[in-house]
Each structure stands twice: as C-alpha cells, then as structure tokens.
C-alpha cells in the first residue's frame, strides 16, 4: 500500500492471518461517503501539497481541536479571551494560521503580512500525520482531541532533533534522576518549559 494520496491505482490486499486481511483501495472510492472536500483533505484522501483552497479544511481543524492543544503542540500563544473577556476554548482558523505564521516568521516580503496559506498547509499536514491527534468517536459520544503526540510516539526526525537540542544544552538529561528514558516515557513525562511569553503579539513563541 502507498501512503501518498492518489497513488493507489487498484484494489490491493495483504493477508495478515487466517482471520485478518488488510484491504487498500484507490482513494477515489471514499468521497462517496464524505460530506465535503474539506473532509477529504482532513482525511488524507486529497494531497495537501496541491491544495488551493485551505479555508474549508482549516475551519474543520480549528473547530475540532481546542486552543490549548495548538499552543502546546506549536509552543505559541493564541487569543484566550473574547472582546467581552469570556474564556475561549477554540480559535478561528485565521487566528490559528496567523499565530503559527508569526511564530515561524512566515511573512510576506512586502508588508510583513502572515503567510496564512503556507501555515495552513503545515497545520493540515500535522493533522493528517497525527501530530494534532483527533478521534472520531462512535455516534452519540463527543469527539475527543488527544493533543500533541507523546515522546514515545514522535517520528525519527523529531527524536533526532530532540537529541541535537539536548547536545547543545551540554548533554544534560531531561529525565528524572535514577530513571531511564523508557521509564520516564512510560510514566507520561513531557518536555517542560518555563512558560514565559515574550511580547503580546498573537502567535509569539514561548521561550
């Protein structure tokens, strides 16, 4: 089976055991049960690299995942209150894309406007790949956003980047004394930061 959307040309099967068989079919079969094009993008059916309209899928992602999950996954600050001072659990897709773009310096050459389209592509890729984890629960049960992947679930690239960062810090271990890396991960340990926000702009990176 091919992981790239649109590359599977015919129905394929893989026998796992006497009672289990995996089936892989062309992605064009699936839209018959999907409500919209945005759903197909979020479901990984349509390739994101050729995406022209990012608004619809980004509205779905922003409406499914709480603000705190984006802040933890991307280490950014997003608007936490409305104009009237009420607490906000979710943000709009524009606020999310602008915050991400500002934190990553994705700005236009003229005027310094946030590149929301580029930011949207990266956020959608993270959603499809599972970095921004979201589960569709059975009918009658509220959907659940699980937050960013834990250390044990990170990709090889993420692990190598973490090791490189640890080397720059003088080889100091982030695990508690007397515990191995695997023991810390099993205990649900997460990377900590001091939580100090520099500036007040939306999407400013935490240091």
């Amino acid at each position: 089976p091919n992981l790239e959307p649109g590359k599977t040309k015919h129905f394929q099967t893989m026998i796992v055991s006497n009672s289990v068989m995996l089936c892989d079919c062309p992605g064009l079969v699936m839209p018959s049960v999907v409500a919209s094009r945005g759903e197909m993008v979020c479901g990984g059916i349509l390739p994101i690299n050729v995406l022209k309209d990012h608004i619809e899928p980004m509205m779905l992602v922003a409406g499914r995942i709480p603000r705190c999950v984006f802040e933890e996954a991307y280490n950014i600050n997003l608007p936490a209150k409305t104009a009237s001072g009420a607490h906000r659990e979710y943000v709009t897709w524009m606020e999310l894309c602008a915050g991400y773009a500002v934190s990553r310096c994705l700005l236009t050459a003229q005027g310094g406007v946030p590149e929301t389209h580029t930011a949207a592509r990266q956020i959608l890729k993270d959603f499809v790949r599972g970095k921004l984890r979201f589960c569709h629960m059975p009918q009658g049960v509220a959907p659940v956003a699980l937050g960013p992947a834990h250390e044990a679930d990170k990709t090889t690239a993420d692990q190598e980047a973490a090791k490189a960062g640890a080397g720059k810090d003088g080889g100091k271990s982030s695990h508690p004394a007397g515990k191995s890396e695997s023991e810390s991960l099993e205990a649900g340990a997460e990377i900590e930061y001091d939580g100090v926000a520099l500036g007040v702009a939306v999407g400013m990176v935490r240091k």
Side-chain angles (χ1 to χ4, degrees), residues 180-199:
S180 65
E181 180 178 355
S182 60
E183 291 173 341
S184 297
L185 295 179
E186 292 175 356
E190 298 179 357
I191 298 175
E192 297 181 354
Y193 50 86
D194 59 16
V196 178
L198 300 181

Side-chain angles (χ1 to χ4, degrees), residues 85-103:
H87 176 75
R88 297 180 61 184
E89 184 177 3
Y90 297 89
V91 294
T92 66
W93 72 268
M94 179 62 77
E95 291 170 336
L96 173 59
C97 290
Y100 181 93
V102 170
S103 68

Side-chain angles (χ1 to χ4, degrees), residues 129-204:
R129 292 169 181 168
K131 180 177 180 178
L132 300 172
R133 295 183 293 173
F134 176 83
C135 292
H136 289 278
M137 304 301 289
Q139 187 174 4
V141 180
V144 178
L146 298 179
H150 292 291
E151 190 69 24
D153 299 328
K154 289 187 176 181
T155 62
T156 302
D158 291 333
Q159 293 170 351
E160 291 178 353
K163 290 180 180 179
K168 293 180 180 179
D169 293 337
K172 294 182 180 179
S173 174
S174 60
H175 303 290
K179 289 189 176 181
S180 65
E181 180 178 355
S182 60
E183 291 173 341
S184 297
L185 295 179
E186 292 175 356
E190 298 179 357
I191 298 175
E192 297 181 354
Y193 50 86
D194 59 16
V196 178
L198 300 181
V200 296
V202 173
M204 191 63 68

Side-chain angles (χ1 to χ4, degrees), residues 3-24:
L3 297 178
E4 183 69 20
K7 298 298 183 181
T8 304
K9 302 303 180 184
H10 55 84
F11 188 80
Q12 304 175 74
T13 60
M14 179 182 296
I15 306 299
V16 179
S17 67
N18 293 333
S19 58
V20 178
M21 179 176 65
L22 299 180
C23 299
D24 182 30

